[in-house]
Amino acid sequence: SGDDAAARRTRGVLGFVLDQTLRLLHPVMPFVTDELWSALTGEDSVMMAAWPTYSFTDPVAEAEVGSVMRLVTEIRRFRSDQGLRPGQRVPARLAGIAATPLAGHEAGIRSLLRLTSPEDDGFAAAAALTVEGVTVELDLAGTVDLAAERARLDKDLAAARKDATAMIAKLGNPAFTGKAPADVVAKSRERLAAAEADIARLAARLATLA
């Protein structure tokens, strides 16, 4: 990155993690850890090193990384819902990211999610998702057959609605809820909740393709 301070911090963190990991692994991998630790530290043996006692916490950093993880997870799910292959590169605009703590992670986020920078002149958002304060707009031109994708989503939505209707009828029948084992009734309620969640998700995806 050309940032000397960041480079020093990164080297320090990597060195600390490697040092502590070699100490922790030594009881189960004695020879290779001792050889590596001695070569890297210049000390005689890792057997003479203190056992790690790590208690440092950084709530701000943990919250920031947690936000990145949630963003990546949701967008991966969103990509899949759009019919995109995991390794398929797609032009995307990350609107609003500059105003969030994720701004410094944009390059890493794009790399993890296979999102390329948009060509402003020809970029046309066909699907969008807002998560962690960032609106992710995807240009699906040439990557997804939108008509086929709408047909697939319509089919999945119809199946989810049919399942939900069946579960509502089942749970509304006193003969079932009064006589069936509690775990069977509970599973039917879980199935209804899952179907309703699928309906909301699929309807939202269809709306983005409208």
Side-chain angles (χ1 to χ4, degrees):
S1 67
D3 186 334
D4 290 340
R8 286 194 298 273
R9 285 195 302 272
T10 301
R11 283 194 294 269
V13 169
L14 290 174
F16 176 82
V17 170
L18 181 56
D19 175 26
Q20 302 296 294
T21 301
L22 289 173
R23 298 183 195 208
L24 290 168
L25 283 174
H26 182 68
V28 292
M29 298 175 64
F31 299 109
V32 67
T33 52
D34 198 42
E35 184 70 22
L36 287 171
W37 194 83
S38 295
L40 293 169
T41 65
E43 302 292 334
D44 291 335
S45 173
V46 70
M47 289 187 291
M48 306 303 293
W51 188 252
T53 55
Y54 184 64
S55 61
F56 175 75
T57 59
D58 188 337
V60 174
E62 289 177 8
E64 191 172 308
V65 172
S67 183
V68 171
M69 292 171 65
R70 288 188 294 273
L71 177 74
V72 169
T73 298
E74 288 303 314
I75 298 176
R76 279 180 174 161
R77 184 178 293 120
F78 182 58
R79 282 179 53 108
S80 177
D81 287 340
Q82 302 306 317
L84 296 169
R85 299 187 304 276
Q88 190 171 356
R89 295 191 176 277
V90 183
R93 182 180 292 130
L94 304 182
I97 193 170
T100 73
L102 303 180
H105 300 282
E106 181 172 356
I109 290 169
R110 285 185 177 279
S111 176
L112 287 168
L113 294 168
R114 305 296 191 272
L115 302 178
T116 61
S117 297
E119 297 291 340
D120 292 333
D121 292 340
F123 183 83
L129 171 72
T130 299
V131 58
E132 297 295 312
V134 180
T135 299
V136 184
E137 302 171 343
L138 303 180
D139 184 348
L140 303 180
T143 60
V144 174
D145 183 334
L146 295 182
E149 187 60 19
R150 289 190 193 97
R152 183 185 72 81
L153 291 171
D154 279 330
K155 181 180 178 181
D156 290 346
L157 182 57
R161 284 173 172 163
K162 182 179 179 180
D163 200 22
T165 299
M167 289 302 103
I168 289 171
K170 195 173 186 179
L171 292 167
N173 183 356
F176 171 72
T177 55
K179 295 179 181 179
D183 63 324
V184 174
V185 175
K187 286 181 180 178
S188 295
R189 290 198 174 99
E190 291 173 1
R191 187 171 169 182
L192 173 60
E196 289 175 337
D198 284 342
I199 290 169
R201 177 177 59 81
L202 292 166
R205 296 298 182 258
L206 275 166
T208 66
L209 297 177

